[in-house]
């Protein structure tokens, strides 16, 4: 399974853009990059996903490098409610079963 | 849309009892459901992949006789922790992928709010 590596923690000032990096250097061709976030004692919330093109939705933007070995989640205007643990996961389908690998997670603290 | 409901949200029971946790997809059909366990301040660890109508696939180190998974319909999967002991105390989370939405890897997982299990 492809593994992901993320910084343990990050701070971001309220109103500024939060850029959360993720390394997935062993990603294979059919694996998607997903981002989720988890607020304490809740289930993870889906944010965005992509294969090779950059993606944007109402929550965030996802920038994937051309070699697909890393990606960055961008929260354009961070608010206090964005304080959470952000997980980057790689997911695909191989050999008759689905692969799901969670990263270490980045604890994002949005500061007033 | 795409809501996953998990029940119960919190359970406390005595050592040696069995506990069943339900995971339901409320507004979509789920061919595949996943069960995770999360210890404090750690990431989610995949326990097993549950496919409707077939046996679950367990991750290495997860005892299939200890953690029984049943996925009898496209909207319900259950995890039963048999003969639970204090070391089984954890936060259990399920997720589901919607059936028939393109390539399997291109289907977001939708997570339940988790079940906090405490074994005394």
């Amino acid at each position: 399974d492809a593994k992901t590596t993320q910084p343990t923690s990050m701070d971001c000032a309220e109103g500024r853009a939060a850029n959360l990096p993720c390394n997935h250097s062993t990603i294979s061709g059919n694996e998607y990059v997903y981002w989720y976030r988890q607020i304490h004692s809740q289930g993870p919330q889906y944010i965005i996903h992509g294969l090779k093109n950059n993606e944007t939705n109402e929550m965030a933007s996802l920038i994937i490098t051309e070699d697909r070995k890393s990606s960055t989640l961008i929260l354009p205007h961070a608010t206090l409610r964005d304080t959470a643990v952000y997980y980057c996961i790689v997911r695909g389908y191989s050999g008759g079963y689905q692969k799901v690998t969670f990263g270490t997670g980045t604890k994002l603290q949005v500061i007033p | 849309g795409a809501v996953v409901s998990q029940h119960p949200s919190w359970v406390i029971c005595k050592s040696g009892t069995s506990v069943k946790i339900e995971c339901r997809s409320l507004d979509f059909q789920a061919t595949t459901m996943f069960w995770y366990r999360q210890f404090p301040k750690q990431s989610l660890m995949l326990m097993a992949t549950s496919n409707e109508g077939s046996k679950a696939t367990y991750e290495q180190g997860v005892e299939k006789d200890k953690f029984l998974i049943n996925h009898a319909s496209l909207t319900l999967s259950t995890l039963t922790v048999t003969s639970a002991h204090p070391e089984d105390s954890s936060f259990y989370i399920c997720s589901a992928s919607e059936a028939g939405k393109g390539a399997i890897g291109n289907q977001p997982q939708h997570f339940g709010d988790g079940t906090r299990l405490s074994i005394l």
Side-chain angles (χ1 to χ4, degrees), chain A:
Chain A
D1 293 356
K3 303 296 183 185
T4 63
T5 304
Q6 300 174 253
T8 304
S9 64
M10 291 181 65
D11 290 340
C12 178
E14 188 179 17
R16 304 296 293 269
N19 296 279
L20 293 89
C22 179
N23 181 286
H24 31 79
S25 58
T26 60
I27 192 170
S28 60
N30 66 347
E31 291 182 312
Y32 286 75
V33 180
Y34 279 78
W35 283 84
Y36 288 82
R37 69 182 181 185
Q38 186 179 27
I39 298 170
H40 182 62
S41 296
Q42 297 182 21
Q45 176 191 20
Y46 166 77
I47 301 174
I48 198 168
H49 76 284
L51 183 62
K52 56 183 179 181
N53 297 321
N54 297 337
E55 302 288 343
T56 296
N57 63 20
E58 65 278 4
M59 290 183 68
S61 294
L62 173 61
I63 308 298
I64 302 175
T65 58
E66 190 171 346
D67 63 7
R68 302 207 325 123
K69 292 185 177 182
S70 65
S71 62
T72 301
L73 177 74
I74 301 173
L75 307 178
H77 305 287
T79 70
L80 298 179
R81 288 177 295 179
D82 292 322
T83 293
V85 178
Y86 287 76
Y87 290 102
C88 166
I89 72 169
V90 173
R91 181 162 179 253
Y93 186 83
S94 175
Y97 62 93
Q98 298 199 33
K99 299 190 296 183
V100 182
T101 305
F102 263 81
T104 54
T106 296
K107 185 173 183 179
L108 175 68
Q109 183 71 48
V110 180
I111 303 168

Side-chain angles (χ1 to χ4, degrees), chain A residues 1 32 34 36 38 41-44 46 49 87 89 91-93 98 100 102-104, chain B residues 32 34 36 38 42-44 46 91 93 97 104-109 111-113 116:
Chain A
D1 293 356
Y32 286 75
Y34 279 78
Y36 288 82
Q38 186 179 27
S41 296
Q42 297 182 21
Y46 166 77
H49 76 284
Y87 290 102
I89 72 169
R91 181 162 179 253
Y93 186 83
Q98 298 199 33
V100 182
F102 263 81
T104 54
Chain B
T32 303
F34 300 89
Y36 297 85
Q38 185 176 33
Q42 294 186 20
S43 183
L44 281 73
L46 179 65
F91 191 49
I93 307 170
S97 289
I104 290 176
N106 195 22
Q107 298 170 8
Q109 294 183 62
F111 286 82
D113 279 335
R116 190 159 301 281

Side-chain angles (χ1 to χ4, degrees), chain B residues 58-72:
Chain B
Y58 290 82
E59 294 300 301
Q60 189 173 7
V62 178
E63 301 175 55
K64 59 182 180 182
D65 295 330
K66 173 77 172 178
F67 300 99
L68 301 179
I69 291 173
N70 183 279
H71 192 162

Side-chain angles (χ1 to χ4, degrees), chain B residues 3 6 13 21 26 29 37 40 42 53 72-73 77 111-112 116:
Chain B
V3 177
Q6 204 170 325
C13 60
I21 302 170
L26 298 186
Q29 293 186 326
R37 181 167 53 183
Q42 294 186 20
S73 78
S77 176
F111 286 82
R116 190 159 301 281

